[in-house]
Coordinates of all heavy atoms in Angstrom, one line a residue:
A201 N -36.9 16.9 30.6 CA -36.9 15.9 29.6 C -38.0 14.9 29.7 O -38.7 14.4 28.8 CB -35.6 15.1 29.6
L202 N -38.5 14.7 31.0 CA -39.6 13.9 31.3 C -40.9 14.3 30.7 O -41.7 13.5 30.3 CB -39.8 13.7 32.8 CG -38.6 12.8 33.6 CD1 -38.9 13.0 35.1 CD2 -38.6 11.4 33.1
T203 N -41.0 15.7 30.6 CA -42.2 16.2 30.1 C -42.3 16.1 28.5 O -43.4 16.2 28.0 CB -42.4 17.7 30.5 OG1 -41.3 18.4 29.7 CG2 -42.3 17.9 31.9
L204 N -41.2 15.7 27.9 CA -41.2 15.6 26.5 C -41.4 14.2 25.9 O -41.6 13.9 24.7 CB -39.8 16.1 26.0 CG -39.3 17.5 26.3 CD1 -37.9 17.8 25.7 CD2 -40.4 18.5 25.8
R205 N -41.4 13.2 26.8 CA -41.5 11.9 26.4 C -42.9 11.4 25.9 O -43.9 11.9 26.3 CB -41.1 10.9 27.6 CG -39.6 11.0 27.9 CD -39.2 10.1 28.9 NE -37.8 10.3 29.4 CZ -37.4 9.8 30.6 NH1 -38.1 9.0 31.4 NH2 -36.1 10.0 30.9
S206 N -42.7 10.4 25.0 CA -44.1 9.8 24.5 C -43.6 8.3 24.1 O -42.4 8.1 23.7 CB -44.7 10.6 23.3 OG -43.8 10.4 22.2
P207 N -44.5 7.4 23.9 CA -44.1 6.1 23.5 C -43.3 6.0 22.2 O -42.2 5.4 22.1 CB -45.4 5.3 23.4 CG -46.3 6.0 24.4 CD -45.9 7.5 24.3
V208 N -43.9 6.8 21.2 CA -43.2 6.8 19.9 C -41.8 7.5 20.0 O -40.8 7.1 19.5 CB -44.1 7.5 18.9 CG1 -43.3 7.6 17.6 CG2 -45.3 6.7 18.6
G209 N -41.8 8.6 20.7 CA -40.6 9.4 20.9 C -39.5 8.6 21.6 O -38.4 8.7 21.2
D210 N -39.9 7.9 22.7 CA -38.9 7.1 23.3 C -38.3 6.0 22.5 O -37.1 5.8 22.6 CB -39.7 6.4 24.6 CG -40.1 7.4 25.6 OD1 -39.8 8.7 25.5 OD2 -40.8 7.1 26.5
R211 N -39.2 5.4 21.7 CA -38.6 4.3 20.8 C -37.6 4.9 19.7 O -36.6 4.3 19.5 CB -39.8 3.6 20.0 CG -40.5 2.6 21.1 CD -41.4 1.7 20.2 NE -42.4 2.4 19.4 CZ -43.6 2.6 19.9 NH1 -43.9 2.2 21.2 NH2 -44.6 3.2 19.2
L212 N -38.1 6.0 19.2 CA -37.2 6.6 18.1 C -35.8 7.1 18.7 O -34.8 6.9 18.1 CB -37.8 7.9 17.5 CG -39.1 7.5 16.6 CD1 -39.8 8.8 16.1 CD2 -38.6 6.7 15.4
V213 N -35.8 7.8 19.8 CA -34.5 8.2 20.5 C -33.8 7.0 21.0 O -32.6 7.1 20.9 CB -35.0 9.2 21.7 CG1 -33.7 9.6 22.4 CG2 -35.7 10.4 21.2
T214 N -34.4 6.0 21.4 CA -33.7 4.8 21.7 C -33.0 4.2 20.6 O -31.8 3.9 20.7 CB -34.6 3.7 22.5 OG1 -35.1 4.2 23.5 CG2 -33.8 2.5 22.8
W215 N -33.6 4.1 19.4 CA -33.0 3.6 18.3 C -31.8 4.6 17.8 O -30.7 4.0 17.5 CB -34.1 3.6 17.1 CG -33.5 3.3 15.8 CD1 -33.1 2.2 15.3 CD2 -33.0 4.3 14.7 NE1 -32.6 2.3 14.0 CE2 -32.6 3.6 13.7 CE3 -33.2 5.7 14.7 CZ2 -32.1 4.2 12.5 CZ3 -32.7 6.4 13.6 CH2 -32.2 5.7 12.6
W216 N -32.0 5.8 17.9 CA -30.9 6.8 17.5 C -29.8 6.7 18.4 O -28.6 6.6 17.9 CB -31.5 8.2 17.5 CG -30.5 9.2 17.0 CD1 -29.9 10.2 17.8 CD2 -30.2 9.4 15.7 NE1 -29.1 10.9 17.0 CE2 -29.2 10.5 15.7 CE3 -30.5 8.8 14.5 CZ2 -28.6 10.9 14.5 CZ3 -29.9 9.3 13.2 CH2 -29.0 10.3 13.4
T217 N -30.0 6.6 19.8 CA -28.8 6.5 20.6 C -28.0 5.2 20.5 O -26.9 5.2 20.8 CB -29.3 6.7 22.1 OG1 -28.2 7.2 22.9 CG2 -29.8 5.5 22.8
D218 N -28.8 4.1 20.1 CA -28.1 2.8 19.9 C -27.0 2.9 18.8 O -26.2 2.1 18.7 CB -29.1 1.7 19.6 CG -29.9 1.4 20.9 OD1 -29.3 1.6 21.9 OD2 -30.9 0.8 20.7
I219 N -27.2 3.8 17.9 CA -26.2 4.0 16.8 C -24.8 4.3 17.4 O -23.8 3.9 16.9 CB -26.6 5.1 15.8 CG1 -28.0 4.7 15.1 CG2 -25.6 5.3 14.7 CD1 -28.5 5.8 14.1
A220 N -24.8 5.0 18.5 CA -23.6 5.3 19.1 C -23.2 4.5 20.3 O -22.3 4.7 21.1 CB -23.7 6.8 19.7
G221 N -23.9 3.3 20.3 CA -23.6 2.3 21.3 C -22.5 1.4 21.1 O -21.8 1.6 20.1
T222 N -22.3 0.3 21.9 CA -21.3 -0.6 21.8 C -21.2 -1.5 20.5 O -20.3 -2.0 20.1 CB -21.2 -1.6 22.9 OG1 -22.4 -2.2 23.1 CG2 -20.9 -0.7 24.2
I223 N -22.4 -1.5 19.9 CA -22.6 -2.2 18.5 C -22.6 -1.3 17.4 O -21.9 -1.4 16.4 CB -23.8 -3.2 18.5 CG1 -23.7 -4.2 19.7 CG2 -24.0 -3.9 17.2 CD1 -24.9 -5.1 19.9
G224 N -23.5 -0.3 17.5 CA -23.6 0.7 16.4 C -22.4 1.4 16.0 O -22.0 1.5 14.9
M225 N -21.7 1.9 17.0 CA -20.5 2.8 16.7 C -19.4 2.1 16.1 O -18.7 2.6 15.1 CB -20.0 3.6 17.9 CG -19.3 4.8 17.8 SD -20.4 6.2 17.2 CE -20.1 6.4 15.5
P226 N -19.0 0.9 16.5 CA -18.0 0.1 15.8 C -18.3 -0.3 14.4 O -17.5 -0.3 13.6 CB -17.9 -1.2 16.7 CG -18.2 -0.8 18.1 CD -19.4 0.2 17.9
I227 N -19.6 -0.5 14.2 CA -20.1 -0.7 12.8 C -19.9 0.5 11.9 O -19.3 0.4 10.7 CB -21.5 -1.3 12.7 CG1 -21.7 -2.6 13.4 CG2 -22.1 -1.2 11.2 CD1 -23.2 -3.0 13.5
V228 N -20.3 1.6 12.4 CA -20.0 2.9 11.7 C -18.6 3.1 11.4 O -18.1 3.5 10.3 CB -20.6 4.1 12.4 CG1 -20.2 5.4 11.9 CG2 -22.2 3.9 12.6
A229 N -17.7 3.0 12.5 CA -16.3 3.2 12.3 C -15.7 2.2 11.3 O -14.8 2.5 10.5 CB -15.6 3.0 13.7
L230 N -16.1 0.9 11.3 CA -15.6 -0.1 10.5 C -15.9 0.2 9.0 O -15.0 0.1 8.2 CB -16.0 -1.5 10.8 CG -15.5 -2.7 10.1 CD1 -14.0 -2.7 10.1 CD2 -16.1 -3.9 10.6
G231 N -17.1 0.6 8.8 CA -17.6 0.9 7.4 C -16.8 2.1 6.9 O -16.3 1.9 5.7

Side-chain angles (χ1 to χ4, degrees):
L202 292 175
T203 66
L204 303 177
R205 291 182 186 166
S206 68
V208 174
D210 293 353
R211 285 195 296 271
L212 289 175
V213 175
T214 298
W215 170 82
W216 183 252
T217 201
D218 286 344
I219 297 176
T222 55
I223 297 177
M225 205 73 255
I227 292 175
V228 171
L230 182 61

